[in-house]
Amino acid sequence: MNRHQRTLMRPVSCTGIGLHSGRTVNLCLRPAESDTGVMFKRSDLPASPLIPADVNHVVSTDLSTTVGMDGVTISTVEHLLSALSGLGVDNVLVEVDAPEIPIMDGSAAPFVFLMRGAGFTSQGRPRQYYRVKREVEVSENGKHIKVAPSKKLKVDFTIEFDHPLIHRQKMGFVLDEKAYDKDISRARTFGFLRDMRYLHENGLALGGSLDNAVVLDNYQVLNEDGLRFPDEFVRHKVLDFIGDLGMVGRPIVGAFTAHKSGHALNNKLFRKFLADPTAWELVTPGPEDIPQYVEEPLPLFDRVAATA
Ligand SMILES: [Zn+2]
């Protein structure tokens, strides 16, 4: 894990479709000062209001994660937050001209690609983290998630779906930038055809399609190219979890165990954890163990492709 806070080296932008509206959304990620965290900006509204990515500002987890403040909201933040968290980017200004982040291909890979094109820069300020001192757990309707003391940030995730292609899938993951890129970032969100039909008939998820989700009927995957991993489903749940963790503001270095958890329950655990000061201590790495870290951006040619 980085010892220094990190931001992007330069602004990068992309365009995609909004999951809710089906309309075009322009997204720009800009470097931000130390200790800013992840800040969303609605450039389509008068005075361009800001909304911080914060566990306490999550207003809905139906269909997608929505953050809001003073009546202004931004939806579908979870996969972008996962990419930021997975790559260890602490400070960034996320500008959008719509009430939602574009869904892209339903994974975090397009955001990883975009940010790698910008390059990262170390900001000289230490990156604090939460060290877990004792176990904290939440459960609800047969779902549960807990965090326990550990030297590494790791998650063991299990999902269960009554579907012949899923049944029970399990994945253990230790947070590491390269492993995130390779094993997690490409896993797409998934849904069932019957739910998708219902949503479309009710004017919801108008942008949702086979281009941005793995869609299953009762027996099989409907996407022509099939799955990216045989266990893409649980990998995506880990991706979502890392995005939710990004809203804590600082890494929680602990061992998470999740069974059928999702955005709502993850959020509940983080709030319970933060509200109990006996469960954690804030650790600031000393200057002697802070390595200098600057990653060079991609050559210009690749960067043009990343912003095209
Ligand atoms: Zn997701």
Side-chain angles (χ1 to χ4, degrees), residues 126-152:
R127 187 187 203 208
Q128 293 184 308
Y129 63 91
Y130 293 104
R131 176 150 55 209
V132 180
K133 284 167 64 184
R134 62 173 193 81
E135 202 168 288
V136 178
E137 182 168 15
V138 289
S139 53
E140 209 170 70
N141 307 324
K143 307 169 180 184
H144 60 84
I145 178 165
K146 69 174 183 182
V147 63
S150 166
K151 284 202 165 66
K152 287 189 171 161

Side-chain angles (χ1 to χ4, degrees), residues 162-273:
D162 187 15
H163 189 282
L165 277 183
I166 309 180
H167 291 306
R168 183 186 165 94
Q169 294 190 345
K170 194 171 162 46
M171 183 181 200
F173 183 72
V174 178
L175 191 66
D176 165 87
E177 203 182 297
K178 288 203 174 72
Y180 175 82
D181 203 344
K182 185 168 143 281
D183 300 329
I184 305 294
S185 72
R186 294 175 58 241
R188 290 161 297 171
T189 190
F190 58 97
F192 298 94
L193 185 63
R194 54 176 186 272
D195 299 332
M196 211 158 205
R197 282 205 183 115
Y198 173 83
L199 291 167
H200 283 182
E201 279 163 19
N202 288 278
L204 300 164
L206 296 173
S209 75
L210 292 167
D211 291 334
N212 50 44
V214 174
V215 182
L216 299 150
D217 66 10
N218 289 338
Y219 309 99
Q220 57 184 343
V221 169
L222 301 179
N223 306 61
E224 247 177 51
D225 295 338
L227 295 172
R228 292 178 177 175
F229 307 94
D231 59 351
E232 187 167 358
F233 309 100
V234 71
R235 287 176 193 247
H236 187 80
K237 289 293 181 179
V238 172
L239 184 156
D240 278 340
F241 168 80
I242 292 167
D244 292 335
L245 192 60
M247 267 188 277
V248 173
R250 299 183 177 97
I252 298 175
V253 176
F256 291 87
T257 310
H259 179 75
K260 296 168 75 173
S261 190
H263 295 298
L265 201 61
N266 296 344
N267 185 266
K268 214 169 167 178
L269 175 78
F270 299 142
R271 287 191 197 213
K272 186 176 175 184
F273 174 80

